[in-house]
């Protein structure tokens, strides 16, 4: 109930008024039945702008940190995501991926729309990164279509680290459903699962026009501070000793 109150009364109309999202390919999202909407992830705003343009309810697998934050802000955030029907997923440990897949399959078994970001995290630089295979496993196990989706312009309005988004028009673009029924029963074949994931990412890339990086976003993000460290040390050595931190 709260989901529809947010979508049609409280939040949805405000988002549509402020950001005036252009919607392309909405006819590709089925009106009934289970399906996965797989999108790029550029901004925290993606969680709200994609659902705002969809006619159906969509459930996202949300990172557990949104539900466990400290203080008043953390409790409010957790309450919001729970009320909106989003599912917390622990992304740490060996069982994290399997837990996410089980939760996703449960949503699909009810004939609902499942939203997922195959990159596994927000892009920190606006590029599109290699997809994780969970989206392919769920599509193959549930036997459902995958609708690729591209958020265009959300990185510019609210890049990672920016709390308040700029008021600027964005585009939400949906592609034709991808049917992987030819791979039925092959979800245990690693090469097949990887190929399906790559096809999904290629379709997202074609819709978004982003630069593609054939590596995982989390890995690149973690490595960048290490790569920058020698440069930072070099700059420090150039400073007079009394100015060095």
């Amino acid at each position: 109930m709260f989901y529809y109150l947010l979508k049609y009364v409280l939040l949805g109309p405000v988002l549509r008024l402020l950001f005036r999202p252009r919607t392309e390919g909405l006819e590709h999202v089925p009106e009934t039945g289970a399906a996965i909407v797989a999108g790029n992830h550029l901004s925290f705003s993606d969680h709200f702008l994609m659902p705002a343009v969809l006619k159906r309810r969509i459930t996202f697998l949300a990172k557990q940190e949104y539900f466990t934050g400290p203080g008043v802000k953390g409790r409010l955030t957790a309450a919001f995501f729970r009320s909106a029907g989003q599912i917390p997923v622990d992304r740490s440990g060996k069982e994290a991926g399997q837990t996410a897949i089980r939760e996703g399959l449960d949503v699909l078994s009810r004939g609902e729309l499942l939203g997922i970001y195959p990159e596994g995290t927000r892009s920190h630089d606006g590029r599109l990164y290699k997809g994780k295979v969970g989206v392919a496993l769920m599509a193959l196990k549930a036997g459902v279509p995958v609708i690729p989706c591209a958020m265009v312009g959300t990185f510019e309005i609210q890049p990672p680290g920016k709390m308040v988004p700029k008021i600027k028009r964005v585009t939400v673009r949906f592609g034709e459903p991808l049917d992987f029924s030819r791979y039925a029963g092959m979800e245990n074949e690693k090469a097949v699962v990887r190929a399906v994931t790559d096809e999904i990412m290629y379709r997202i890339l074609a819709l978004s026009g982003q630069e593609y990086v054939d590596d995982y976003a989390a890995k690149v993000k973690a490595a960048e501070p290490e790569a920058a460290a020698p440069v930072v040390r070099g700059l420090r050595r150039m400073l007079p000793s009394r100015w060095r931190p």
Side-chain angles (χ1 to χ4, degrees), residues 49-220:
L49 289 171
M50 186 205 292
V53 304
L54 286 171
K55 297 177 182 178
R56 295 178 60 185
R57 172 174 179 150
I58 185 168
T59 299
F60 282 93
L61 299 180
K63 63 181 181 180
Q64 193 176 50
E65 290 87 337
Y66 289 147
F67 299 82
T68 58
V72 175
K73 179 183 175 183
R75 290 195 293 273
L76 289 174
T77 301
F80 175 84
F81 275 93
R82 287 195 184 93
S83 299
Q86 307 309 288
I87 300 173
V89 175
D90 183 1
R91 299 185 299 177
S92 62
K94 293 181 180 179
E95 294 299 318
Q98 293 302 317
T99 300
I101 289 169
R102 285 196 298 270
E103 295 284 4
L105 289 174
D106 186 52
V107 173
L108 295 169
S109 71
R110 300 195 297 267
E112 300 175 5
L113 281 183
L114 175 69
I116 187 170
Y117 302 116
E119 293 168 277
T121 186
R122 277 177 287 174
S123 172
H124 63 291
D125 56 10
R127 298 186 292 177
L128 183 70
Y129 285 85
K130 186 175 182 178
K132 295 188 175 182
V133 299
V135 61
L137 286 169
M138 285 186 279
L140 295 176
K141 287 184 177 183
V144 300
V146 177
I147 295 93
C149 174
M151 306 299 296
V152 181
T154 55
F155 185 82
E156 288 73 21
I157 68 169
Q158 192 182 22
K162 184 177 178 63
M163 294 295 294
V164 181
K166 295 179 183 177
I167 304 302
K168 188 177 178 181
R169 200 167 192 188
V170 301
T171 299
V172 187
R173 189 175 291 144
F174 300 95
E176 294 183 8
L178 303 176
D179 178 9
F180 297 109
S181 58
R182 62 191 183 278
Y183 297 124
M186 302 177 69
E187 62 269 15
N188 294 322
E189 299 290 335
K190 289 184 179 180
V192 169
V193 173
R194 183 72 256 169
V196 169
T197 304
D198 290 343
E199 182 175 343
I200 293 168
M201 298 309 295
Y202 174 78
R203 295 300 183 92
I204 295 172
L205 178 65
L207 292 170
S208 70
Q210 293 169 267
E211 178 184 346
Y212 181 72
V213 180
D214 192 26
D215 208 344
Y216 296 111
K219 179 181 175 182
V220 173

Side-chain angles (χ1 to χ4, degrees), residues 1-71:
M1 177 62 73
F2 185 71
Y3 179 93
Y4 295 103
L5 184 64
L6 280 175
K7 182 176 175 66
Y8 294 111
V9 180
L10 300 177
L11 189 59
V14 175
L15 292 174
R16 289 190 291 272
L17 177 65
L18 291 177
F19 298 100
R20 298 175 297 127
R22 299 182 188 90
T23 306
E24 300 175 10
L26 191 59
E27 68 276 9
H28 296 312
V29 181
E31 295 183 2
T32 59
I36 297 171
V37 179
N40 58 341
H41 195 13
L42 295 167
S43 168
F44 186 73
S45 300
D46 297 338
H47 288 293
F48 309 103
L49 289 171
M50 186 205 292
V53 304
L54 286 171
K55 297 177 182 178
R56 295 178 60 185
R57 172 174 179 150
I58 185 168
T59 299
F60 282 93
L61 299 180
K63 63 181 181 180
Q64 193 176 50
E65 290 87 337
Y66 289 147
F67 299 82
T68 58

